[in-house]
Amino acid sequence: MAKKSVASLQTGSKRLSKAIKMVKSPKTGAYMFVESIMDPSKVNEFLAKK
């Protein structure tokens, strides 16, 4: 379950993307959001991970 919300960020000469995905907590069963700022080429890899 991934919420694909990707925003493009530019800092200096590097281009970065912020990806947010929704994951289910194994302890409580509640959903939480995990955010990460990374290179745009790694966004799909991040969202594919469980």
Side-chain angles (χ1 to χ4, degrees):
M1 300 195 96
K3 177 184 177 185
K4 192 170 185 176
S5 173
V6 179
S8 294
L9 306 171
Q10 279 191 323
T11 56
S13 63
K14 283 197 168 191
R15 184 173 172 89
L16 301 172
S17 292
K18 179 178 181 180
I20 304 169
K21 72 177 176 179
M22 187 171 66
V23 293
K24 190 171 185 178
S25 172
K27 287 184 180 180
T28 63
Y31 287 96
M32 58 187 174
F33 294 98
V34 177
E35 297 181 20
S36 182
I37 297 175
M38 66 196 79
D39 190 289
S41 62
K42 298 185 180 187
V43 171
N44 286 335
E45 182 181 314
F46 172 75
L47 293 174
K49 276 196 266 180
K50 284 194 171 187

